[in-house]
Amino acid sequence: MDQIEVARLSTADVRKQVAVAAASSYLEVVSQKRQVEISQRALETARAQFDYNRRRREGGIGSRLNELRSGQIVASDEALLETAELRVRRAQEALGVLLGANGPIDVAGEPAFDVPPEAPEADWLAIRSDVQLFTAEQRAAARVLKDSSKDWWPSAAVSFDPQLLTPSGIFQPSRTWRLTLSLAQPIYDGGLRRGAKLLREADLTASQLSVERLQIQARSEVRLARAELASYERALASGRRAADQANEVLKITIVAFEAGASTNIEVVDAQRSARDLESAVVVIEDAARQARLDLLVALGRFPR
């Protein structure tokens, strides 16, 4: 019975690992699609600036240098967009493989991971599938050790042998049967049973240490996941402010350039800064979502 329970919990733990891997792959698709959106917006801005500088040059009030600089940004953003779209395809293919689909799988939107409040250890530690599995293995090892005394019990065997003889003989009946009952008790086994008991004791000690190690690791995972989430949320707030400010600087720089109060170099620098900061925000957002997922997994709340 204990082995059946261990097998059931082992299957549940493997399913959890597959679900966590699929969720992480899902988040990767979301993150890469956000990178594509940023690259597309940056490319649209760069193309608009390139068209503006080209018209100025054609009108005789702009320079070829400014047009080339804008064209360089357009080409760079086009390359980044191609790379981002390829990463999306790779992430979709990886998600399809994990889900057993014969092709890439797209995602509809960002998942909502509710962060659970602080709770006593007894409320979440026992519901983790890996803790349940290791605990069941410990109980099975204890049960095997407890049954070691049965090694000293005598073994019994019963056999029933019916026989049909056709034709029957003068001194041999046609139908006969024989029932045999035998008992065997080993007197000397060279320490085999004692050695088997010592091995079972070692297995039980190893399983107990594994449970203790897993519990320590689980507590560490919860503490680290909460610390990471808090840190990423603070970094995300700062990163979003920086990205908003960079986009505002870009708008002002473009207006100033069109009014002749700034140079094209300042526009190029503002474009790169805005694009890089928005990309960094996406990276932090993905890390924050992953931290929320890690916290739910550490608390045994994913998958439900």
Side-chain angles (χ1 to χ4, degrees):
M1 190 67 181
D2 290 332
Q3 295 299 327
I4 296 177
E5 181 69 9
V6 169
R8 184 185 67 81
L9 292 174
S10 179
T11 302
D13 190 60
V14 171
R15 289 176 178 173
K16 183 205 75 171
Q17 295 175 15
V18 174
V20 172
S24 297
S25 183
Y26 186 102
L27 295 181
E28 181 66 17
V29 176
V30 172
S31 176
Q32 295 303 329
K33 291 182 71 173
R34 288 277 289 116
Q35 292 286 4
V36 168
E37 294 174 0
I38 291 172
S39 298
Q40 289 173 341
R41 288 199 302 268
L43 181 58
E44 292 173 359
T45 303
R47 284 174 175 171
Q49 189 64 23
F50 172 73
D51 291 339
Y52 175 76
N53 287 329
R54 179 177 52 81
R55 290 194 302 268
R56 283 172 58 90
R57 181 188 60 79
E58 292 174 351
I61 59 176
S63 66
R64 175 62 175 167
L65 180 60
N66 289 342
E67 182 183 3
L68 289 175
R69 285 171 178 163
S70 299
Q72 179 185 354
I73 295 298
V74 170
S76 176
D77 287 343
E78 287 175 345
L80 291 176
L81 178 59
E82 288 291 338
T83 303
E85 290 177 344
L86 178 59
R87 287 198 295 263
V88 169
R89 181 57 184 265
R90 286 177 176 172
Q92 291 171 341
E93 289 286 354
L95 181 59
V97 170
L98 283 171
L99 297 182
N102 190 23
I105 293 181
D106 197 8
V107 299
E110 298 184 11
F113 293 135
D114 296 330
V115 180
E118 295 280 353
E121 179 182 306
D123 293 345
W124 58 265
L125 186 60
I127 65 176
R128 285 180 51 131
S129 61
D130 50 357
V131 173
Q132 292 177 350
L133 173 61
F134 279 53
T135 303
E137 291 178 348
Q138 178 184 347
R139 289 197 301 267
R143 178 68 176 272
V144 171
L145 178 60
K146 182 179 179 182
D147 291 341
S148 295
S149 59
K150 296 179 181 179
D151 292 344
W152 299 89
W153 292 8
S155 58
V158 178
S159 64
F160 177 72
D161 302 311
Q163 184 177 5
L164 174 64
L165 181 63
T166 302
S168 60
I170 300 176
F171 302 101
Q172 180 68 33
S174 175
R175 291 181 175 84
T176 60
W177 58 271
R178 180 173 58 185
L179 178 65
T180 305
L181 173 63
S182 62
L183 293 175
Q185 174 62 56
I187 299 176
Y188 177 74
D189 60 2
L192 178 62
R193 285 172 287 187
R194 179 174 176 79
K197 182 178 180 181
L198 291 176
L199 288 176
R200 293 163 186 164
E201 290 176 350
D203 290 340
L204 177 58
T205 302
S207 63
Q208 290 172 342
L209 292 176
S210 297
V211 171
E212 293 177 2
R213 180 188 58 82
L214 181 60
Q215 291 175 346
I216 294 173
Q217 180 181 347
R219 299 184 190 102
S220 176
E221 290 175 355
V222 171
R223 292 193 301 267
L224 182 59
R226 289 193 181 277
E228 286 182 347
L229 180 57
S231 178
Y232 286 134
E233 288 179 345
R234 292 191 296 268
L236 184 58
S238 300
R240 285 173 175 170
R241 287 197 304 269
D244 292 340
Q245 293 169 356
N247 286 321
E248 188 68 21
V249 168
L250 176 59
K251 294 178 182 178
I252 295 174
T253 305
I254 292 175
V255 172
F257 173 73
E258 293 175 354
S262 65
T263 64
N264 189 57
I265 296 178
E266 293 176 335
V267 175
V268 171
D269 290 341
Q271 287 175 326
R272 289 175 176 172
S273 178
R275 182 191 62 200
D276 293 343
L277 285 172
E278 286 191 346
S279 179
V281 168
V282 170
V283 173
I284 299 174
E285 286 176 345
D286 181 62
R289 285 191 294 266
Q290 186 64 48
R292 292 189 182 94
L293 174 62
D294 292 341
L295 178 58
L296 294 177
V297 173
L299 292 173
R301 297 178 179 270
F302 185 90
R304 298 303 296 269

